[in-house]
Amino acid sequence: MVQIGYTMMTEQAGPRQLVDHVMHAEDVGFDFSVASDHASPWLRAQGHSPYVWSVLGAAAQATSEIPLMTFVTCPTMRYHPAVVAQKAATLQLLSGGRFRLGLGSGENLNERIVGDWPPADVRLEMLGEAVEIIRELFRGEHVSRRGGHFTVDSARLWDLPDEPPPIGIAVSGERSCSLAGRLADVMIAVQPERALTESFERAGGAGKPRIGQMALCYDTDREVAVRRAHEQFKWFGMGWKVNSELPHPDAFEAATRYVRPEDVAEAIPCGDDPEAVVEAARGFVDAGFTEVALVQIGGNAQHDFLEWAEDKLLPQLHALGGDEAVAA
């Protein structure tokens, strides 16, 4: 049975709201949760970007069972990998072992606030080195190294969980799949492409979880849902190569000025038809993903969505996969 997750999207809600939302998501039966780690929203209309690690610490205390995950943290510029390791180990302790550390090579939108934005090949090199440092610290080692990108001087984690957090790595192409297959416990992607899961498996990821993420916009009035999705998520269809490079919400606004509401409605399920969401999620399952995290668009539209999900959506989504999910 495919696992269905709930997304705490920090770009569209404040910290207290986010904790309230994930508590409700646990109550209605979501299998896991993920949270974005941003310094800025994609568009000004979203209007938020709290520090996700504080949110997750609060969520770890406010919930009791639902797994938590960063989706994803960039451990190379805004945060040094040794600091990420300390944060992740602490959150694993606070949550009683419910945390997974999702990592990626980052977006200019977030990482530019502390300096330059290197080319994609350099970002992947940095990510690989960062994961190695985090793994060493998770083992309880004293780490001193002067690598190609990072210096660590006699670092150690003094509070370690019995089991370190599994590490997920976000992928978008062959090179990132190769890195994830070699270094990750979990694959993360936002495109329902079998080429990604197959590349991950060839690189060493066979049998490991593969998490996808998809957006939807629930509302009983479909026109309201389409307008909200267009206002807040018209950037979503530009592709990762574009999304990772634009530096500011105003740049995303300019890049999407010709995107029409009907264009967004074609790409994102809008309204209150559970079959449309199930069909979109099926694309991930058919591509070999074992888990799918949902993003409900609109920070003030979460609780209505969660009630609808409990009653109408989750039973159908949990029926997805069957033999295909087990085989994957």
Side-chain angles (χ1 to χ4, degrees):
M1 186 172 69
V2 65
Q3 300 288 292
I4 303 300
Y6 173 78
T7 299
M8 290 181 280
M9 191 169 184
T10 61
E11 301 94 295
Q12 65 178 13
R16 294 177 66 90
Q17 285 179 292
L18 292 164
V19 175
D20 188 42
H21 296 161
V22 76
M23 291 170 62
H24 194 170
E26 179 178 60
D27 289 342
V28 304
F30 277 85
D31 300 306
F32 67 99
S33 67
V34 303
S36 54
D37 186 348
H38 271 226
S40 172
W42 300 98
L43 296 170
R44 289 180 181 270
Q46 292 175 316
H48 294 275
S49 199
Y51 182 59
V52 73
W53 291 90
S54 296
V55 174
L56 287 169
Q61 299 302 291
T63 60
S64 59
E65 296 182 357
I66 192 167
L68 307 168
M69 185 178 192
T70 50
F71 207 89
V72 293
T73 288
C74 178
T76 58
M77 282 166 272
R78 195 161 37 111
Y79 310 131
H80 189 282
V83 176
V84 172
Q86 183 186 32
K87 293 192 288 191
T90 298
L91 193 52
Q92 182 75 324
L93 289 167
L94 285 171
S95 66
R98 291 184 282 135
F99 181 62
R100 293 184 289 184
L101 176 60
L103 301 175
S105 59
E107 305 98 14
N108 195 8
L109 176 70
N110 302 299
E111 308 311 316
R112 64 171 174 77
I113 67 171
V114 296
D116 295 332
W117 181 239
D121 59 337
V122 175
R123 300 199 301 267
L124 276 178
E125 288 178 8
M126 295 175 74
L127 178 59
E129 186 177 334
V131 173
E132 292 171 357
I133 292 168
I134 292 168
R135 291 276 194 204
E136 290 175 9
L137 289 166
F138 279 174
R139 291 194 292 268
E141 300 174 9
H142 274 92
V143 178
S144 291
R145 60 186 287 170
R146 187 175 297 276
H149 300 284
F150 301 105
T151 297
V152 185
D153 185 3
S154 191
R156 177 188 171 188
L157 299 182
W158 292 89
D159 288 277
L160 274 173
D162 293 334
E163 293 292 332
I167 293 177
I169 292 180
V171 304
S172 59
E174 186 70 33
R175 293 189 63 211
S176 54
C177 285
S178 178
L179 179 72
R182 179 168 57 88
L183 296 178
D185 304 303
V186 181
M187 189 196 92
I188 297 166
V190 294
Q191 308 104 323
E193 297 176 4
R194 180 164 287 278
L196 297 176
T197 60
E198 291 177 346
S199 294
F200 177 65
E201 290 178 354
R202 287 195 301 269
K208 298 177 182 178
R210 284 142 282 166
I211 308 176
Q213 187 184 57
M214 55 165 282
L216 68 139
C217 194
Y218 165 78
D219 200 284
T220 54
D221 186 328
R222 188 173 185 274
E223 291 186 4
V224 170
V226 170
R227 285 199 301 270
R228 186 194 312 136
H230 179 257
E231 178 187 44
Q232 297 195 21
F233 252 69
K234 58 185 176 180
W235 56 273
F236 195 64
M238 293 193 298
W240 198 248
K241 289 184 178 180
V242 175
N243 289 345
S244 65
E245 298 297 338
L246 295 180
H248 191 273
D250 292 346
F252 280 88
E253 191 68 50
T256 57
R257 63 188 182 278
Y258 297 121
V259 176
R260 303 168 301 170
E262 54 265 38
D263 299 326
V264 174
E266 288 180 6
I268 295 174
C270 294
D272 61 354
D273 179 9
E275 289 295 337
V277 181
V278 171
E279 189 60 30
R282 192 187 311 278
F284 283 95
V285 175
D286 291 346
F289 288 78
T290 58
E291 305 178 36
V292 181
L294 306 182
V295 180
Q296 160 66 2
I297 298 171
N300 295 324
Q302 298 300 306
H303 289 301
D304 287 345
F305 159 71
L306 288 165
E307 291 175 3
W308 173 73
E310 179 181 26
D311 184 40
K312 302 291 187 182
L313 182 61
L314 285 177
Q316 294 192 50
L317 287 174
H318 278 139
L320 275 174
D323 294 339
E324 295 100 326
V326 174

